[in-house]
Amino acid sequence: MRRGWQVLLVLTILLVLPLISAENQVVINSKDWKDVSSGMLYAKLRNLDVHYVVEETHGVQLSSEVLNKNLKEVLLVESNNNLFIRGYEGRLRQDGFQAVKFISNTPYETNLKLAEKLVSENQINSFIVMDDAYPYNILSVAPYALTTKSYVLFVNDGNLDAVYNFLSQNADNILLYGRMSNKIQEQLSIFSPDVINTGNKIGDNIEIVKRFEKEKSPTQIIFTNGEFIEPSFFNNEFPVLFIGTTNIPSDVMEYIYQSNAKAGVVIGYDLYTNAKTIRDATGMRIFLKYGQGRDEQIYALDIFPLPKSEPEFALKAINYNTLTNQVEVIYENTGNTFVYLQALSHKFKVNGVEVVSSIGDEEAFFLDVGDTKVILYGEVDLSSFSQETVLVESKVLFGEIPESLEKLFTKETKLNFVSYNDESSINVLGVKYNKAKKQFEVVVENLGDEETYVDLEIFDLFVEGQKTIFGGDITSIGKGKKKTITIDAELTEEDLNANKLVNIRAWYGTREDALVKTSKFSIDLEVVEGFSLGTAGVVLLYAVIILLFFLMRKKKRKH
């Protein structure tokens, strides 16, 4: 009798397994990069064909011309409310496929549900965890994940508990990749995870490429800038390396020199100039992938853009002050995110001939959203050219990581000759962090004889273990006056303990649109509890209640 039950159990398992794992290709119909990435990883880890829709016309062509007609069972991963084509399951069926829809209510839920399917089907027990605030990281980790048979989980403070519960039940090996909040790091530290976090995306990318090389010995590297998904990135043969957009970070070039790879593949035309620079410097063979062949025709690549904050700035003017013999280069942040800038060179030419030595920056400087900064150079004498037309050729690196600026800006600007003297002088008397108001409070004194405009930034501040800059707004301070300037910043107790001394850089001057002076201050930080508006409201409410109570009693006595 017992043997009969065993036979029945085996037959049941054999019948159920095809229902669980019947799909032999995956199609993703979603505008969310997390759904696309989760579906790609799931399919690749199960050795299934996989495709994603990039726009409506492409989706129609995908179903009718691209999908393998011999692989009838299709798992359709489809966003519930953020999809390219509605009714796509019906179109697949119309084209002869047996489609099963996997509804993605949220990309985070889908990410975990596909992970659960992999655990049940393939016994996957290794996971890479990355913060979805940095979409480009998926391109770094995908080849390593597929090589080590790991799945990538997307985490943030909102879904941390769900990710934690999943890992506690299913994970044997965990890698935390890239920047993430203290809250995430602390809660996941219980698993004793491996960690890659150098503080910037280039350093993290190079580190995981090195780990890939330890698993395999790739003869080829795929080059990208981290701005889009393309199917080639989801492979287990070649690592993906970020090479910038119009400038190659020095750390990347150093790594390439040391690499054993003999060839590089560039995805799309935009990076070919950078790749050519690599070829000329290293002798590496470069291949350009600019399309995909099908039926003896070339079609566009399946490019899926990743969300990004694009740094933007303007070089507003370049002045030569004849009174101070200084060059003033004026920059303005015109974008919606901060930017770091570093001038490679400013060359001064008259009639096409360079007339003095070029100038530039030793290191990158920070420019916050909406800010204008004036960078001064005092090592040139252009006084004898005041009656000439002087053109300045500028080459400026910019980006979001000061150590790895990825883009190059070029411009030719007419030099303005100006004459003014700025005698402004300031001092920073103290700095507090107000925990209730979540802000720095910096006391600044105007030591000069004129109204002075001040723009402060607190730099090299350790927040969640990473060096960070916080900036404020331009503030005017009257002659001989003191003023408290506030800078918003949300810091934890751990952050405050790591910043007993704060570094302040002040940009100031007598003209609001030309803060031509700069000074640095290092000051002990004082932490105060502050006065909570919430507490004040409660106190006021109690006071009103007590007052009403006494008034009511007084009124009753009169009656």
Side-chain angles (χ1 to χ4, degrees), residues 338-350:
F338 67 86
V339 62
Y340 285 92
L341 305 169
Q342 182 178 2
L344 288 177
S345 64
H346 299 291
K347 295 181 179 180
F348 302 88
K349 293 186 176 182
V350 175

Side-chain angles (χ1 to χ4, degrees), residues 59-125:
V60 174
Q61 188 181 54
L62 180 66
S63 175
S64 61
E65 300 178 19
V66 179
L67 297 182
N68 189 335
K69 301 294 185 182
N70 296 319
L71 304 177
K72 298 294 186 183
E73 308 292 339
V74 175
L75 177 67
L76 174 62
V77 179
E78 185 169 274
S79 174
N80 191 34
N81 52 18
N82 191 22
L83 66 168
F84 285 103
I85 305 178
R86 296 197 176 276
Y88 200 53
E89 179 186 12
R91 175 169 291 279
L92 288 169
R93 291 183 180 278
Q94 180 181 324
D95 288 332
F97 297 100
Q98 299 175 26
V100 175
K101 189 187 294 187
F102 183 104
I103 293 294
S104 176
N105 294 312
T106 74
Y108 305 103
E109 177 187 285
T110 298
N111 182 241
L112 286 175
K113 282 188 174 180
L114 290 177
E116 290 169 357
K117 282 173 65 68
L118 283 168
V119 169
S120 64
E121 296 165 3
N122 286 7
Q123 300 300 312
I124 296 293
N125 55 19

Side-chain angles (χ1 to χ4, degrees), residues 315-326:
L315 199 166
K316 293 181 65 178
I318 301 180
N319 303 328
Y320 181 74
N321 192 330
T322 57
L323 289 181
T324 61
N325 290 328
Q326 291 180 316

Side-chain angles (χ1 to χ4, degrees), residues 388-406:
E388 305 278 356
T389 298
V390 181
L391 297 179
V392 186
E393 292 181 358
S394 301
K395 292 184 178 180
V396 182
L397 296 178
F398 68 103
E400 297 176 88
I401 305 168
E403 301 86 1
S404 302
L405 302 175
E406 301 178 72

